[in-house]
Amino acid sequence: MGHGIPDFAEASRILDPHAFEQKYDAWLTVYPNPLTDRSVVEFFSDDSYSASLRVFDVMGRQVYAENNIPVSEGFNSLPLAIYLQHQRSGLFIIRLEFGGNSRVIKALKDR
């Protein structure tokens, strides 16, 4: 929308846990949070997939996207700091999609 006006429709779509079919049981966490240069996204997968990672700022603008991230069965960890190193401080929404599954988590960058 621009002019500092939040796109609430887009933010609602991003945050709605019922917007995507969730076939698989998975968890998602960011550690440490608030973010540091060592922060990672950690999650569990029940099989091997190709994932997509999206990061949005608090206004609903996508600030980072990556597709075709290899996900293995079991525990997975992705470095997060590199994706946000050039972003200002603030709240970020991280969405990870794989295997028909979608998870969303919030992370804070304070420096």
Side-chain angles (χ1 to χ4, degrees), residues 34-50:
L35 302 173
T36 70
D37 59 348
R38 295 172 302 193
S39 290
V40 293
V41 174
E42 297 178 329
F43 60 98
F44 181 84
S45 175
D46 66 344
D47 207 346
S48 296
Y49 298 104
S50 180

Side-chain angles (χ1 to χ4, degrees), residues 21-33:
E21 182 178 343
Q22 296 185 3
K23 298 181 192 174
Y24 304 102
D25 186 27
W27 55 266
L28 175 67
T29 188
V30 173
Y31 181 81
N33 188 5

Side-chain angles (χ1 to χ4, degrees), residues 13-88:
R13 187 184 65 76
I14 294 165
L15 292 173
D16 182 2
H18 302 293
F20 300 95
E21 182 178 343
Q22 296 185 3
K23 298 181 192 174
Y24 304 102
D25 186 27
W27 55 266
L28 175 67
T29 188
V30 173
Y31 181 81
N33 188 5
L35 302 173
T36 70
D37 59 348
R38 295 172 302 193
S39 290
V40 293
V41 174
E42 297 178 329
F43 60 98
F44 181 84
S45 175
D46 66 344
D47 207 346
S48 296
Y49 298 104
S50 180
S52 66
L53 178 71
R54 305 268 184 269
V55 180
F56 301 88
D57 66 13
V58 74
M59 300 295 279
R61 294 177 295 229
Q62 183 172 292
V63 297
Y64 182 79
E66 185 173 346
N67 295 312
N68 302 316
I69 302 167
V71 172
S72 59
E73 182 178 353
F75 178 78
N76 291 268
S77 181
L78 302 171
L80 184 61
I82 192 165
Y83 306 133
L84 298 175
Q85 65 185 355
H86 299 296
Q87 296 297 322
R88 292 183 178 177

